[in-house]
Amino acid sequence: MVNRNSLNIDKFLYVLRHNWFYIPLALSIALILAMITIQKVGKNYKIEASLQIQDQSLSTHSGQQELFLKGAELFSSNTNVADEMGVITSLSTIAETLRDMNSHITVFTPHPGIFGIGTKYDELKVPPFQIKLKEGFPQVTNIPVKITFLNNGTYRVQATIEKGSLLFQSSTIDSKFNTSLDKTTIDKTLKLTQPYSDNYLNFSIDLQGNTPPSVTTEYSFVINEMRSLAESFRNKISVEPIFDGASILNIGSSSSYPQQEIDFINNLMKTYIAKSLSKKNRLAQETIASIDKQLDIAVDTLSNIEGSLEDFRSKNEIIDIAKTSENLNEQYTDLNEKKSDFSVKIEYYQYLTNSLSNNVDIDEMKSVSTAGIEDPVLSNLLIELNALIRERSSIAFSSSKESPVLKGIDQRIKTSRSAVMNNVKSLLNSYTINLRNLEQRLNKINYQISQLPKGERNLTSIERNFSLNDDLYSYLLQKKAEANIAVATNVSDKTIIDEAHLAGNPFPKKTYLLLTFIILGFIASAGILFWRYITLSKIITENDIPAYIKWPVLDSRLHQASKKADPHSYKSLKVYNKLKEKAKANAKVISIVNSDKDDDAHSFIKELISQMIGMGNHIAIVHLTADLEGAIDSSKKSTDNINQDLFDVKQAKDISLHKLHINEVADKKPLQQLLFKLKENHDFVLILTPPLNGSLAYYKIREYFDFTLYLIHSGVTDTSSLAEHYANLESDNSIGIVIMEQT
């Protein structure tokens, strides 16, 4: 079974034979493009640098400063690598770097383009003059401004401002902008010392050196829009740590102008370090300014408090009341402590009284030491009572209730309990009286304190406020001095490890570019060949025959262009064997028809006849011609050639040749009689009919044919023609296909 989805090698080789010229054409175009690219792109250079964003040697110093200015946190060394990478590649940092380098202005000179077509502009990395823009004034961006220096110490400014051009008021990325309302042409001559100024430009020219620029050279400059320029530089640079968690960053870039890129990377690192240090200093200065404000407030407050204290002393004539107040407070504190002690003891004695009155077991009562009371007499009485109770418990196990011993112990317990009760009541009365006396004394002291003059309390408040503000003033003075010292000794913890430098060889190399374009040329040519392959509508091999066509392919053979081919050169007997099978079933009338009128089937017919003669068959050949509408009958050529080639062959006696015109068999009877007669005397009757694309003859007489050999010519027959013929002859199952492949 034919796999129609796989690559048809024969078809591909056919496409390659007939379209090989696309390969050198594509390679030639690729080489031309490579030369243009090499001339236009030039060499690219890789630039590298390294930057340490947190110097560990300064971490201890930074920590000391943080403690030195505790709460201000001016010099915190906590660094987030990702945040610092974002700061380095931020548009603001890049824009500040470009502005410091004056890179937002590009100066160039024009010269003819390739082959003199158009104009090419070369950027001047070191121009003989500098353009100084005036900040705060609108400047048109991305518009070439032509500068021509004249002999008389003047210069000429020429430019065309298109409608809608952007005008920025400064070189920052967040600058406000306007747009030009109309198209304007500028052409003005000024002295070299005179700045240019109008609604679109405001600049002056600063000559570099004493020699003025050449008057024969044309110069132009462009004011680049800062955001776009910064974005273009940011897209070129890469920043990444040397490894995960490292505080050292590798900064890389590439450019056709290595020195410019080296200067940019170095200045970018310096700008980043300066911004970091400036941020620290700004925070310190803001802290100092805040301290100065607090000092001013503290000075005013102290002055007011000192005036109030002086007025109070002069009016109340009080020298020192603090001592008296202190003594009263000490007495009040001591008496309060004693009152608390008496209250605890009274509470415990009341507890003992209630427990003894209710005959509570002595083991369940709180002990004297647990209550925090030191009374040896009461403790001994309680110990004695507890011992008697334990003794009674031990005797009660072996004695009856009426035992004299048990009764004696009960009497002793009763006497001991009464002694404890009397002692507790005596102590309770004594402490109650003492507590009452303490409360009286406390009330007296409270009264004395309450009688202190209100002015004295005011004096205490004034003195306290004075002391607090005086301490605050001293603290602020100290912190201000510390902040000034910190600013003076502040250093950046960011360090340039390696300045920008060239890394490796320039790229891309010419060899690599040429090789790349050659490969692209081969890819392009392969693409063209593949496109030709998939769009080819000609039948090349059996694989190209549509699947819906049910006619069998009897053979696929090599087309012999030479008419003097060896009769035995055709090795395949597939067609002959098929016809032999048909002949056994009395199907001897075989028509041979071309799919196209311009195809030559001479070789196939000649070799088929040779095979039949070689096998001892008698053959009749009927050449049916049709000159309808002036069509050229190439089969006539075949018949003539066959006659000429077979004339000297010994087996020619086994061949009978007949030639008929289609008009001679219009009523079909002569042809029918002829074929009947020929079938009687011959093994095969070969009918050479006109091609299907040039005549209707085949369709008129096909009913007299037992089998038809339909000849398809590789690379000539179109699938649409085959489909059309199949549609007309689909019901005819006595047709076999022979593919004539081209060499």
Side-chain angles (χ1 to χ4, degrees), residues 462-473:
I462 292 171
E463 289 177 344
R464 182 171 60 252
N465 288 336
F466 180 84
S467 176
L468 289 174
N469 281 276
D470 186 57
D471 291 342
L472 177 61
Y473 179 75

Side-chain angles (χ1 to χ4, degrees), residues 469-487:
N469 281 276
D470 186 57
D471 291 342
L472 177 61
Y473 179 75
S474 300
Y475 176 80
L476 291 174
L477 285 177
Q478 178 185 355
K479 293 305 173 185
K480 180 179 179 180
E482 292 171 354
N484 283 317
I485 294 173
V487 171

Side-chain angles (χ1 to χ4, degrees), residues 125-169:
K125 299 305 175 183
V126 185
F129 60 91
Q130 281 192 348
I131 302 296
K132 300 291 186 181
L133 302 180
K134 190 168 184 179
E135 288 289 334
F137 286 85
Q139 309 282 355
V140 67
T141 58
N142 302 328
I143 297 294
V145 180
K146 182 179 178 182
I147 301 293
T148 305
F149 292 95
L150 306 177
N151 287 321
N152 54 357
T154 59
Y155 67 98
R156 183 182 180 186
V157 180
Q158 294 173 286
T160 300
I161 312 299
E162 299 292 341
K163 182 180 179 180
S165 299
L166 297 179
L167 287 82
F168 287 83
Q169 295 186 2

Side-chain angles (χ1 to χ4, degrees), residues 329-604:
N329 286 330
E330 289 178 357
Q331 292 179 28
Y332 185 80
T333 301
D334 292 340
L335 292 176
N336 258 332
E337 291 177 356
K338 290 181 180 180
K339 179 182 176 181
S340 298
D341 182 54
F342 288 169
S343 297
V344 171
K345 291 179 178 180
I346 290 172
E347 183 179 355
Y348 178 71
Y349 293 145
Q350 288 176 346
Y351 164 75
L352 284 179
T353 301
N354 294 332
S355 298
L356 293 172
S357 300
N358 296 326
N359 293 321
V360 176
D361 192 348
I362 192 68
D363 290 334
E364 298 178 0
M365 295 170 55
K366 295 181 181 179
S367 65
V368 176
S369 60
T370 302
I373 300 174
E374 296 181 1
D375 191 338
V377 176
L378 179 60
S379 297
N380 291 333
L381 290 174
L382 289 173
I383 291 171
E384 182 181 351
L385 177 60
N386 187 43
L388 290 172
I389 292 173
R390 292 180 182 277
E391 184 180 355
R392 184 187 182 284
S393 297
S394 61
I395 294 174
F397 282 108
S398 60
S399 302
S400 64
K401 293 182 180 180
E402 301 298 329
S403 172
V405 177
L406 191 60
K407 289 182 179 181
I409 291 176
D410 287 341
Q411 183 62 37
R412 290 170 60 190
I413 290 173
K414 182 178 180 181
T415 303
S416 178
R417 188 183 294 274
S418 176
V420 172
M421 178 67 77
N422 292 333
N423 185 271
V424 170
K425 287 182 178 180
S426 175
L427 291 172
L428 180 60
N429 291 333
S430 174
Y431 279 108
T432 301
I433 294 171
N434 291 334
L435 179 61
R436 191 179 299 115
N437 292 333
L438 282 175
E439 289 177 346
Q440 291 176 356
R441 292 175 62 187
L442 284 171
N443 291 333
K444 183 177 180 180
I445 291 174
N446 277 331
Y447 175 77
Q448 290 176 350
I449 292 174
S450 65
Q451 293 303 310
L452 288 175
K454 293 182 179 180
E456 292 300 324
R457 289 199 298 272
N458 292 336
L459 177 61
T460 303
S461 177
I462 292 171
E463 289 177 344
R464 182 171 60 252
N465 288 336
F466 180 84
S467 176
L468 289 174
N469 281 276
D470 186 57
D471 291 342
L472 177 61
Y473 179 75
S474 300
Y475 176 80
L476 291 174
L477 285 177
Q478 178 185 355
K479 293 305 173 185
K480 180 179 179 180
E482 292 171 354
N484 283 317
I485 294 173
V487 171
T489 58
N490 183 29
V491 293
S492 176
D493 57 353
K494 278 69 173 168
T495 308
I496 297 176
I497 303 299
D498 294 319
E499 291 191 345
H501 57 277
L502 293 176
N505 297 321
F507 66 94
K509 294 184 178 179
K510 291 183 179 180
T511 305
Y512 294 156
L513 271 179
L514 286 173
L515 182 61
T516 301
F517 274 93
I518 289 174
I519 293 174
L520 291 176
F522 276 113
I523 293 174
S525 59
I528 294 173
L529 292 177
F530 182 73
W531 177 79
R532 297 285 293 173
Y533 172 85
I534 63 176
T535 58
L536 183 64
S537 62
K538 304 294 183 181
I539 294 177
I540 307 301
T541 65
E542 181 181 352
N543 293 3
D544 301 315
I545 298 177
Y548 61 84
I549 293 180
K550 304 304 180 183
W551 296 340
V553 177
L554 303 181
D555 196 6
S556 178
R557 63 181 299 279
L558 188 66
H559 178 67
Q560 299 291 334
S562 173
K563 298 179 182 179
K564 296 182 180 179
D566 184 1
H568 303 287
S569 63
Y570 182 48
K571 303 298 183 182
S572 176
L573 297 175
K574 293 180 181 179
V575 176
Y576 172 77
N577 291 334
K578 183 68 176 179
L579 297 180
K580 191 67 176 177
E581 291 178 6
K582 295 289 183 180
K584 290 179 181 179
N586 201 32
K588 298 180 178 181
V589 180
I590 311 299
S591 67
I592 301 176
V593 59
N594 278 323
S595 61
D596 295 283
K597 63 181 181 180
D598 293 331
D599 294 334
D600 185 3
H602 169 268
S603 174
F604 172 73

